[in-house]
Structure formats: C-alpha cells, structure tokens
Amino acid sequence: MSAAEFARKLRARERVVGYWVVLDNPIGTERIARLGYDYVAVDAQHGLLGYSGLLNAMMAIDAGGGSVGLTRVEANDPAAIGHALDAGSGGVIVPLVDSAEDARAAVAATRYPPRGRRSYGPMRSGLRIGPRPAAADESVVLLAMIETPQGLANVREICATEGIDGVYVGPSDLCLAVGGAFPGDPAVAEEFEQAVADVREAAAEAGIAAGIHTPDGATAARRLEQGYTFASVACDLVHLERAAGEHLEAAKS
C-alpha cells in the first residue's frame, strides 16, 4: 500500500500489524517486506545501523512492495526526524515523549511550513511521498512513544495534541517506568497492565491510534483483541537467533 493509504488506515484506527528491524541487512529486510506486514519499522534508536543503513532499509522495504517503512528515530529532534522522512520513511516513531510540549515539537518537525518547521529536501521521499509539502504532510504518520513516568502521567494531554496520529507503547521502558527492576518484572505485572490499559483508553478517547511492541504474533493478537489498533512483532535479530538455536537443538537431539 502507499504511504497515504497506510496513513488513512492507521488514522481510522483500523488494525495494522508490523515487523521490527534492527539489523543493517537490506536483503533480509526486503524479504520481510514481501511477507504481508502492513509496515516494517526500522529502529534507528537502539538498532544496529546508521543513516546509510536506514536509507538502504527504506529502499529494501519499497522493493518488497507490500509494506510501508516507518522509522523509530533516535530522539525527538528535527534533524533526526527530517533525515528519516527524507530517506523515504512513511512516518516516524518518536521516543521519550513526556509532555504535550514534546508532542507539539515532534509534530512541528514532521510538517512543512506553515504547519511546522520541517526543512524541504525530499531527495528520496519525493519519489513516493509528496513532493508537494501539503501532500507530504498528509501522508506522514507521527507516533509518540509512551514509555516514561512523565509520559504516562501526561498521556491524555499527549493524545489530545493536534497532529499526533497515534501513541506507541515501549513495554521494556514502560515496565521500568512503573517501578519494575527489569523489563518484564513480574513484581509489577499488575501496575504494568494498568499502564498499558491507560494508554489504550487515552488514545481511544482522543480518537487516535494505539500501538504496542510485542515479542511475538500471539501477543500481538492479544493486544489487538484488547483494543490496541496496531502492533509490532519482535525483531529480526531475535528471530534469527531463535531460529538458529532451534535448529542447533534439533540437530544435536
């Protein structure tokens, strides 16, 4: 689907499922993009790739032909957001959004004047998104991550920010935010699930998309059934290691 079609689907709160990429492996990313995922998200915050890797990943996703490329940028920064969009990302996932002020800054970085402050330089994005600024503004999706104590406390104000298309839960950091000693800490399971529900409900009240990262397809299905409107599945590095380990175990047995 096109970036514009994906944006309309996500903003309508239709269910979408994506995959998460952390490796600088364009051939592998291209194959994943052919599987039928609605989007493939490339992790420029914690992933193992630089700008050339991000650019190659976006070209690989386009070559796959079925998925829209998204980027989790490294920071809520106009340069990082602009780089990702100029590389051809159909949208950005912005980490560590703590307040409505942070959300407004992210919105401004994704929109051209007069709506925002994105600098015009669509060296690649113009092939698929735009190239007219107004068309690009309508096609670009902005997702704000809720993963800190401040973000959780301010989630309703963040969701109500004009220009935010959705919020996205980072479970590892959200678990720490509610007092966990480590991601997945069972001691705060109840608090964590309440936080996950609070984000979902705040997004529903604001009429925007609610997304969450999940370790596998079964968990993604469960979160969608709970009312989340989009979910990302695992990542390429985890699946590569898991598959290699399973084959090694089978061979030795």
Side-chain angles (χ1 to χ4, degrees):
M1 74 181 84
S2 69
E5 290 168 339
F6 175 78
R8 285 193 294 269
K9 189 172 184 179
L10 183 130
R11 290 168 185 157
R13 305 187 81 246
E14 296 179 27
R15 288 185 179 182
V16 294
V17 178
Y19 193 79
W20 201 259
V21 165
V22 302
L23 296 176
D24 189 351
N25 176 15
I27 303 303
T29 299
E30 180 182 11
R31 293 177 75 96
I32 289 167
R34 296 172 62 89
L35 293 176
Y37 286 97
D38 297 296
Y39 66 90
V40 175
V42 179
D43 191 352
Q45 182 189 26
H46 294 304
L48 306 172
L49 71 176
Y51 183 70
S52 62
L54 170 62
L55 180 61
N56 288 336
M58 289 300 138
M59 290 191 287
I61 294 165
D62 286 351
S67 305
V68 170
L70 303 180
T71 300
R72 176 164 67 174
V73 295
E74 59 264 40
N76 188 359
D77 174 78
I81 291 170
H83 263 147
L85 296 178
D86 286 349
S89 298
V92 289
I93 302 168
V94 179
L96 303 171
V97 175
D98 290 337
S99 64
E101 182 180 2
D102 286 349
R104 287 192 292 270
V107 171
T110 61
R111 268 67 172 188
Y112 290 112
R115 295 179 62 188
R117 57 193 299 251
R118 180 181 174 187
S119 178
Y120 187 80
M123 300 306 168
R124 177 163 191 278
S125 62
L127 296 174
R128 298 183 69 238
I129 306 166
R132 293 184 179 273
D137 285 351
E138 291 305 313
S139 297
V140 166
V141 164
L142 172 58
L143 306 171
M145 291 199 73
I146 306 298
E147 54 185 345
T148 66
Q150 298 92 336
L152 189 59
N154 296 320
V155 65
R156 280 172 171 76
E157 291 84 356
I158 293 168
C159 288
T161 302
E162 184 178 359
I164 293 287
D165 297 302
V167 286
Y168 187 76
V169 170
S172 294
D173 282 318
L174 189 65
C175 183
L176 301 181
V178 298
F182 51 87
D185 186 354
V188 295
E190 185 175 342
E191 293 86 347
F192 174 76
E193 288 300 326
Q194 184 59 57
V196 168
D198 289 345
V199 174
R200 181 188 69 226
E201 291 166 8
E205 290 171 10
I208 65 171
I212 188 167
H213 194 89
T214 66
D216 50 56
T219 305
R222 177 166 59 87
R223 294 303 188 189
L224 292 170
E225 285 299 318
Q226 290 174 343
Y228 273 83
T229 62
F230 70 99
S232 303
V233 176
C235 78
D236 50 355
L237 178 59
V238 169
H239 282 162
L240 177 64
E241 181 181 26
R242 184 179 300 163
E246 289 173 354
H247 285 296
L248 176 60
E249 184 178 351
K252 287 186 173 182
S253 64

Short mmCIF file of all heavy atoms in Angstrom, two decimals, residues 128-189:
data_model
loop_
_atom_site.label_atom_id
_atom_site.label_comp_id
_atom_site.label_asym_id
_atom_site.label_seq_id
_atom_site.Cartn_x
_atom_site.Cartn_y
_atom_site.Cartn_z
N ARG A 128 7.92 8.95 -3.49
CA ARG A 128 6.71 8.26 -3.04
C ARG A 128 5.79 9.14 -2.21
O ARG A 128 4.60 8.92 -2.16
CB ARG A 128 7.09 7.04 -2.18
CG ARG A 128 7.88 5.99 -2.92
CD ARG A 128 8.14 4.78 -2.02
NE ARG A 128 6.92 4.05 -1.74
CZ ARG A 128 6.45 3.82 -0.52
NH1 ARG A 128 7.09 4.28 0.52
NH2 ARG A 128 5.34 3.14 -0.35
N ILE A 129 6.36 10.13 -1.53
CA ILE A 129 5.58 10.94 -0.58
C ILE A 129 5.73 12.39 -0.99
O ILE A 129 6.77 12.98 -0.84
CB ILE A 129 6.09 10.73 0.86
CG1 ILE A 129 6.10 9.24 1.20
CG2 ILE A 129 5.25 11.50 1.85
CD1 ILE A 129 6.87 8.91 2.45
N GLY A 130 4.68 12.99 -1.48
CA GLY A 130 4.78 14.36 -1.97
C GLY A 130 4.91 14.35 -3.48
O GLY A 130 4.25 13.56 -4.15
N PRO A 131 5.80 15.20 -4.09
CA PRO A 131 6.78 16.05 -3.43
C PRO A 131 6.23 17.37 -2.90
O PRO A 131 6.95 18.14 -2.28
CB PRO A 131 7.81 16.30 -4.53
CG PRO A 131 7.01 16.27 -5.78
CD PRO A 131 5.94 15.24 -5.54
N ARG A 132 4.95 17.69 -3.20
CA ARG A 132 4.39 18.94 -2.68
C ARG A 132 4.28 18.84 -1.16
O ARG A 132 3.83 17.83 -0.62
CB ARG A 132 3.03 19.22 -3.30
CG ARG A 132 3.11 19.53 -4.80
CD ARG A 132 1.75 19.91 -5.36
NE ARG A 132 1.85 20.23 -6.78
CZ ARG A 132 2.15 21.44 -7.24
NH1 ARG A 132 2.36 22.43 -6.39
NH2 ARG A 132 2.21 21.66 -8.54
N PRO A 133 4.67 19.89 -0.45
CA PRO A 133 4.65 19.84 1.01
C PRO A 133 3.30 19.43 1.61
O PRO A 133 3.27 18.63 2.55
CB PRO A 133 5.04 21.27 1.41
CG PRO A 133 5.91 21.74 0.29
CD PRO A 133 5.30 21.14 -0.93
N ALA A 134 2.22 19.96 1.07
CA ALA A 134 0.91 19.63 1.63
C ALA A 134 0.60 18.14 1.50
O ALA A 134 0.05 17.52 2.42
CB ALA A 134 -0.19 20.45 0.95
N ALA A 135 0.99 17.54 0.37
CA ALA A 135 0.76 16.11 0.18
C ALA A 135 1.62 15.29 1.14
O ALA A 135 1.18 14.28 1.70
CB ALA A 135 1.06 15.72 -1.27
N ALA A 136 2.86 15.74 1.35
CA ALA A 136 3.74 15.05 2.28
C ALA A 136 3.19 15.13 3.70
O ALA A 136 3.20 14.15 4.45
CB ALA A 136 5.14 15.64 2.22
N ASP A 137 2.69 16.30 4.07
CA ASP A 137 2.13 16.46 5.41
C ASP A 137 0.98 15.49 5.67
O ASP A 137 0.85 14.95 6.77
CB ASP A 137 1.61 17.90 5.60
CG ASP A 137 2.73 18.91 5.79
OD1 ASP A 137 3.89 18.51 5.97
OD2 ASP A 137 2.42 20.13 5.78
N GLU A 138 0.16 15.27 4.66
CA GLU A 138 -0.98 14.38 4.82
C GLU A 138 -0.58 12.91 4.84
O GLU A 138 -1.28 12.07 5.41
CB GLU A 138 -2.01 14.61 3.70
CG GLU A 138 -2.71 15.95 3.78
CD GLU A 138 -3.39 16.17 5.14
OE1 GLU A 138 -4.08 15.24 5.61
OE2 GLU A 138 -3.20 17.23 5.73
N SER A 139 0.56 12.59 4.24
CA SER A 139 0.99 11.19 4.14
C SER A 139 1.80 10.72 5.34
O SER A 139 1.82 9.53 5.65
CB SER A 139 1.84 10.99 2.88
OG SER A 139 1.09 11.25 1.72
N VAL A 140 2.48 11.65 6.00
CA VAL A 140 3.40 11.28 7.07
C VAL A 140 2.65 10.96 8.36
O VAL A 140 1.78 11.71 8.79
CB VAL A 140 4.41 12.42 7.31
CG1 VAL A 140 5.16 12.21 8.62
CG2 VAL A 140 5.40 12.50 6.16
N VAL A 141 3.01 9.85 8.96
CA VAL A 141 2.41 9.42 10.23
C VAL A 141 3.37 9.73 11.37
O VAL A 141 4.57 9.47 11.27
CB VAL A 141 2.12 7.90 10.18
CG1 VAL A 141 1.86 7.35 11.56
CG2 VAL A 141 0.95 7.62 9.25
N LEU A 142 2.83 10.28 12.44
CA LEU A 142 3.63 10.58 13.62
C LEU A 142 3.08 9.82 14.83
O LEU A 142 1.92 9.98 15.21
CB LEU A 142 3.60 12.09 13.92
CG LEU A 142 4.25 12.51 15.24
CD1 LEU A 142 5.71 12.08 15.31
CD2 LEU A 142 4.13 14.02 15.43
N LEU A 143 3.94 8.99 15.41
CA LEU A 143 3.58 8.17 16.57
C LEU A 143 4.48 8.55 17.74
O LEU A 143 5.71 8.52 17.61
CB LEU A 143 3.73 6.69 16.24
CG LEU A 143 2.97 6.22 14.99
CD1 LEU A 143 3.36 4.79 14.64
CD2 LEU A 143 1.47 6.33 15.21
N ALA A 144 3.88 8.89 18.85
CA ALA A 144 4.62 9.31 20.04
C ALA A 144 4.73 8.14 21.01
O ALA A 144 3.72 7.53 21.37
CB ALA A 144 3.92 10.48 20.72
N MET A 145 5.94 7.84 21.45
CA MET A 145 6.13 6.73 22.39
C MET A 145 5.77 7.16 23.80
O MET A 145 6.19 8.22 24.28
CB MET A 145 7.57 6.22 22.34
CG MET A 145 7.91 5.51 21.04
SD MET A 145 9.37 4.45 21.18
CE MET A 145 8.70 3.07 22.13
N ILE A 146 5.01 6.30 24.48
CA ILE A 146 4.69 6.48 25.89
C ILE A 146 5.46 5.41 26.65
O ILE A 146 5.15 4.21 26.57
CB ILE A 146 3.17 6.34 26.15
CG1 ILE A 146 2.38 7.29 25.25
CG2 ILE A 146 2.87 6.58 27.63
CD1 ILE A 146 2.67 8.76 25.47
N GLU A 147 6.49 5.83 27.37
CA GLU A 147 7.40 4.86 27.97
C GLU A 147 8.09 5.37 29.23
O GLU A 147 8.99 4.71 29.76
CB GLU A 147 8.46 4.44 26.94
CG GLU A 147 9.20 5.60 26.31
CD GLU A 147 10.15 5.18 25.21
OE1 GLU A 147 10.46 3.98 25.12
OE2 GLU A 147 10.61 6.07 24.46
N THR A 148 7.69 6.54 29.72
CA THR A 148 8.30 7.12 30.90
C THR A 148 7.22 7.45 31.94
O THR A 148 6.04 7.55 31.59
CB THR A 148 9.05 8.41 30.55
OG1 THR A 148 8.10 9.40 30.13
CG2 THR A 148 10.08 8.19 29.44
N PRO A 149 7.61 7.66 33.20
CA PRO A 149 6.62 8.07 34.19
C PRO A 149 5.91 9.36 33.80
O PRO A 149 4.69 9.49 33.96
CB PRO A 149 7.45 8.24 35.46
CG PRO A 149 8.63 7.36 35.28
CD PRO A 149 8.94 7.42 33.81
N GLN A 150 6.67 10.32 33.24
CA GLN A 150 6.07 11.59 32.84
C GLN A 150 5.12 11.40 31.66
O GLN A 150 4.03 11.99 31.63
CB GLN A 150 7.17 12.60 32.48
CG GLN A 150 8.10 12.94 33.62
CD GLN A 150 9.33 12.04 33.66
OE1 GLN A 150 9.31 10.91 33.16
NE2 GLN A 150 10.40 12.53 34.26
N GLY A 151 5.54 10.60 30.71
CA GLY A 151 4.68 10.35 29.55
C GLY A 151 3.39 9.68 29.96
O GLY A 151 2.31 10.00 29.45
N LEU A 152 3.49 8.74 30.88
CA LEU A 152 2.30 8.04 31.35
C LEU A 152 1.38 9.01 32.10
O LEU A 152 0.16 8.98 31.92
CB LEU A 152 2.71 6.88 32.25
CG LEU A 152 1.62 5.91 32.66
CD1 LEU A 152 0.97 5.27 31.44
CD2 LEU A 152 2.21 4.83 33.57
N ALA A 153 1.95 9.87 32.92
CA ALA A 153 1.15 10.83 33.67
C ALA A 153 0.45 11.82 32.75
O ALA A 153 -0.65 12.30 33.05
CB ALA A 153 2.03 11.57 34.67
N ASN A 154 1.09 12.13 31.62
CA ASN A 154 0.57 13.14 30.70
C ASN A 154 -0.04 12.55 29.44
O ASN A 154 -0.22 13.25 28.45
CB ASN A 154 1.69 14.11 30.31
CG ASN A 154 2.23 14.90 31.48
OD1 ASN A 154 1.47 15.33 32.35
ND2 ASN A 154 3.54 15.08 31.53
N VAL A 155 -0.37 11.26 29.47
CA VAL A 155 -0.76 10.58 28.24
C VAL A 155 -2.00 11.20 27.59
O VAL A 155 -2.09 11.28 26.36
CB VAL A 155 -0.94 9.06 28.48
CG1 VAL A 155 -2.10 8.78 29.43
CG2 VAL A 155 -1.13 8.32 27.18
N ARG A 156 -2.95 11.65 28.37
CA ARG A 156 -4.16 12.22 27.78
C ARG A 156 -3.87 13.55 27.07
O ARG A 156 -4.42 13.82 26.00
CB ARG A 156 -5.25 12.37 28.83
CG ARG A 156 -5.95 11.04 29.09
CD ARG A 156 -6.91 11.03 30.23
NE ARG A 156 -7.67 9.77 30.23
CZ ARG A 156 -7.19 8.61 30.63
NH1 ARG A 156 -5.94 8.53 31.07
NH2 ARG A 156 -7.94 7.51 30.58
N GLU A 157 -3.02 14.36 27.66
CA GLU A 157 -2.64 15.62 27.01
C GLU A 157 -1.83 15.34 25.74
O GLU A 157 -2.00 16.04 24.73
CB GLU A 157 -1.84 16.49 27.98
CG GLU A 157 -2.63 17.04 29.14
CD GLU A 157 -2.75 16.07 30.30
OE1 GLU A 157 -2.27 14.91 30.17
OE2 GLU A 157 -3.32 16.46 31.34
N ILE A 158 -0.97 14.34 25.79
CA ILE A 158 -0.20 13.97 24.59
C ILE A 158 -1.13 13.50 23.49
O ILE A 158 -1.01 13.92 22.33
CB ILE A 158 0.84 12.89 24.95
CG1 ILE A 158 1.91 13.46 25.88
CG2 ILE A 158 1.49 12.31 23.69
CD1 ILE A 158 2.82 12.41 26.52
N CYS A 159 -2.07 12.64 23.83
CA CYS A 159 -3.00 12.10 22.83
C CYS A 159 -3.87 13.21 22.22
O CYS A 159 -4.28 13.10 21.06
CB CYS A 159 -3.91 11.05 23.46
SG CYS A 159 -3.09 9.48 23.83
N ALA A 160 -4.14 14.25 22.99
CA ALA A 160 -5.00 15.34 22.51
C ALA A 160 -4.25 16.35 21.65
O ALA A 160 -4.87 17.27 21.10
CB ALA A 160 -5.65 16.05 23.70
N THR A 161 -2.94 16.18 21.51
CA THR A 161 -2.14 17.14 20.73
C THR A 161 -2.47 17.04 19.25
O THR A 161 -2.42 15.96 18.66
CB THR A 161 -0.64 16.87 20.94
OG1 THR A 161 -0.33 16.96 22.34
CG2 THR A 161 0.20 17.88 20.17
N GLU A 162 -2.81 18.16 18.64
CA GLU A 162 -3.14 18.18 17.22
C GLU A 162 -1.93 17.75 16.38
O GLU A 162 -0.82 18.23 16.60
CB GLU A 162 -3.59 19.56 16.79
CG GLU A 162 -4.03 19.64 15.34
CD GLU A 162 -4.51 21.01 14.92
OE1 GLU A 162 -4.52 21.92 15.78
OE2 GLU A 162 -4.86 21.18 13.73
N GLY A 163 -2.15 16.83 15.47
CA GLY A 163 -1.07 16.35 14.61
C GLY A 163 -0.49 15.02 15.03
O GLY A 163 0.23 14.39 14.25
N ILE A 164 -0.77 14.57 16.25
CA ILE A 164 -0.34 13.25 16.69
C ILE A 164 -1.31 12.22 16.11
O ILE A 164 -2.51 12.30 16.30
CB ILE A 164 -0.33 13.15 18.23
CG1 ILE A 164 0.75 14.04 18.83
CG2 ILE A 164 -0.15 11.70 18.67
CD1 ILE A 164 2.15 13.55 18.63
N ASP A 165 -0.78 11.26 15.38
CA ASP A 165 -1.62 10.24 14.76
C ASP A 165 -1.82 9.03 15.65
O ASP A 165 -2.78 8.26 15.45
CB ASP A 165 -1.00 9.79 13.43
CG ASP A 165 -0.92 10.92 12.43
OD1 ASP A 165 -1.97 11.50 12.11
OD2 ASP A 165 0.20 11.25 12.00
N GLY A 166 -0.92 8.82 16.59
CA GLY A 166 -1.06 7.67 17.47
C GLY A 166 0.00 7.69 18.55
O GLY A 166 0.97 8.47 18.50
N VAL A 167 -0.19 6.84 19.54
CA VAL A 167 0.81 6.63 20.58
C VAL A 167 1.27 5.18 20.52
O VAL A 167 0.56 4.31 20.03
CB VAL A 167 0.26 6.97 21.98
CG1 VAL A 167 0.15 8.47 22.16
CG2 VAL A 167 -1.08 6.30 22.24
N TYR A 168 2.47 4.97 21.01
CA TYR A 168 3.11 3.66 20.87
C TYR A 168 3.79 3.29 22.18
O TYR A 168 4.61 4.06 22.70
CB TYR A 168 4.14 3.72 19.73
CG TYR A 168 4.75 2.40 19.36
CD1 TYR A 168 4.03 1.47 18.62
CD2 TYR A 168 6.06 2.08 19.71
CE1 TYR A 168 4.59 0.25 18.26
CE2 TYR A 168 6.63 0.87 19.34
CZ TYR A 168 5.89 -0.04 18.62
OH TYR A 168 6.45 -1.24 18.26
N VAL A 169 3.44 2.15 22.72
CA VAL A 169 3.98 1.70 23.99
C VAL A 169 5.28 0.92 23.77
O VAL A 169 5.31 -0.04 23.00
CB VAL A 169 2.97 0.80 24.73
CG1 VAL A 169 3.62 0.13 25.95
CG2 VAL A 169 1.76 1.62 25.16
N GLY A 170 6.32 1.37 24.47
CA GLY A 170 7.55 0.60 24.56
C GLY A 170 7.51 -0.19 25.85
O GLY A 170 7.73 0.38 26.93
N PRO A 171 7.19 -1.48 25.81
CA PRO A 171 6.95 -2.24 27.04
C PRO A 171 8.13 -2.31 27.99
O PRO A 171 7.94 -2.28 29.21
CB PRO A 171 6.58 -3.64 26.53
CG PRO A 171 6.15 -3.44 25.12
CD PRO A 171 6.95 -2.29 24.61
N SER A 172 9.34 -2.39 27.47
CA SER A 172 10.51 -2.50 28.35
C SER A 172 10.64 -1.27 29.23
O SER A 172 10.75 -1.35 30.46
CB SER A 172 11.78 -2.72 27.53
OG SER A 172 11.75 -3.95 26.86
N ASP A 173 10.65 -0.10 28.60
CA ASP A 173 10.79 1.13 29.37
C ASP A 173 9.55 1.42 30.21
O ASP A 173 9.66 1.95 31.32
CB ASP A 173 11.07 2.31 28.43
CG ASP A 173 12.52 2.33 27.97
OD1 ASP A 173 13.40 2.10 28.80
OD2 ASP A 173 12.77 2.60 26.79
N LEU A 174 8.36 1.06 29.70
CA LEU A 174 7.15 1.29 30.47
C LEU A 174 7.15 0.46 31.74
O LEU A 174 6.69 0.90 32.80
CB LEU A 174 5.91 0.99 29.64
CG LEU A 174 4.58 1.41 30.28
CD1 LEU A 174 4.50 2.92 30.42
CD2 LEU A 174 3.40 0.89 29.46
N CYS A 175 7.68 -0.75 31.66
CA CYS A 175 7.79 -1.60 32.86
C CYS A 175 8.70 -0.94 33.89
O CYS A 175 8.38 -0.91 35.09
CB CYS A 175 8.31 -2.98 32.48
SG CYS A 175 8.39 -4.14 33.88
N LEU A 176 9.82 -0.40 33.45
CA LEU A 176 10.70 0.33 34.37
C LEU A 176 10.01 1.56 34.92
O LEU A 176 10.20 1.92 36.09
CB LEU A 176 11.99 0.73 33.64
CG LEU A 176 12.84 -0.40 33.05
CD1 LEU A 176 14.09 0.17 32.39
CD2 LEU A 176 13.21 -1.43 34.10
N ALA A 177 9.19 2.21 34.09
CA ALA A 177 8.51 3.44 34.50
C ALA A 177 7.52 3.22 35.63
O ALA A 177 7.26 4.13 36.42
CB ALA A 177 7.79 4.07 33.30
N VAL A 178 6.97 2.01 35.72
CA VAL A 178 6.00 1.73 36.78
C VAL A 178 6.66 1.04 37.98
O VAL A 178 5.97 0.54 38.87
CB VAL A 178 4.81 0.89 36.27
CG1 VAL A 178 4.05 1.65 35.20
CG2 VAL A 178 5.25 -0.48 35.77
N GLY A 179 8.00 1.02 37.98
CA GLY A 179 8.71 0.51 39.15
C GLY A 179 9.37 -0.83 38.99
O GLY A 179 9.93 -1.37 39.97
N GLY A 180 9.36 -1.39 37.78
CA GLY A 180 9.99 -2.68 37.57
C GLY A 180 11.50 -2.60 37.72
O GLY A 180 12.12 -1.60 37.36
N ALA A 181 12.09 -3.66 38.24
CA ALA A 181 13.55 -3.72 38.36
C ALA A 181 14.21 -4.08 37.04
O ALA A 181 15.40 -3.83 36.85
CB ALA A 181 13.94 -4.74 39.44
N PHE A 182 13.44 -4.65 36.14
CA PHE A 182 13.93 -5.04 34.82
C PHE A 182 12.70 -5.22 33.92
O PHE A 182 11.58 -5.40 34.41
CB PHE A 182 14.74 -6.34 34.88
CG PHE A 182 14.03 -7.46 35.60
CD1 PHE A 182 13.17 -8.31 34.91
CD2 PHE A 182 14.21 -7.66 36.96
CE1 PHE A 182 12.50 -9.35 35.55
CE2 PHE A 182 13.55 -8.70 37.62
CZ PHE A 182 12.70 -9.54 36.92
N PRO A 183 12.88 -5.16 32.59
CA PRO A 183 11.74 -5.37 31.69
C PRO A 183 11.08 -6.72 31.93
O PRO A 183 11.76 -7.74 32.05
CB PRO A 183 12.38 -5.30 30.30
CG PRO A 183 13.56 -4.43 30.48
CD PRO A 183 14.09 -4.78 31.85
N GLY A 184 9.75 -6.70 32.04
CA GLY A 184 9.03 -7.93 32.29
C GLY A 184 9.01 -8.36 33.74
O GLY A 184 8.60 -9.50 34.05
N ASP A 185 9.43 -7.50 34.65
CA ASP A 185 9.47 -7.83 36.08
C ASP A 185 8.08 -8.25 36.57
O ASP A 185 7.14 -7.45 36.55
CB ASP A 185 9.96 -6.60 36.85
CG ASP A 185 10.17 -6.88 38.34
OD1 ASP A 185 9.84 -7.99 38.78
OD2 ASP A 185 10.67 -5.97 39.02
N PRO A 186 7.92 -9.50 37.00
CA PRO A 186 6.60 -9.95 37.45
C PRO A 186 6.09 -9.23 38.69
O PRO A 186 4.89 -9.24 38.96
CB PRO A 186 6.80 -11.44 37.70
CG PRO A 186 8.26 -11.60 37.97
CD PRO A 186 8.93 -10.57 37.11
N ALA A 187 6.99 -8.61 39.44
CA ALA A 187 6.59 -7.92 40.66
C ALA A 187 5.68 -6.73 40.38
O ALA A 187 4.95 -6.27 41.27
CB ALA A 187 7.81 -7.46 41.45
N VAL A 188 5.74 -6.19 39.14
CA VAL A 188 4.91 -5.02 38.79
C VAL A 188 3.97 -5.37 37.64
O VAL A 188 3.53 -4.47 36.91
CB VAL A 188 5.78 -3.80 38.44
CG1 VAL A 188 6.58 -3.33 39.64
CG2 VAL A 188 6.69 -4.09 37.24
N ALA A 189 3.65 -6.64 37.49
CA ALA A 189 2.80 -7.06 36.38
C ALA A 189 1.45 -6.35 36.40
O ALA A 189 0.95 -5.91 35.35
CB ALA A 189 2.60 -8.57 36.41
#
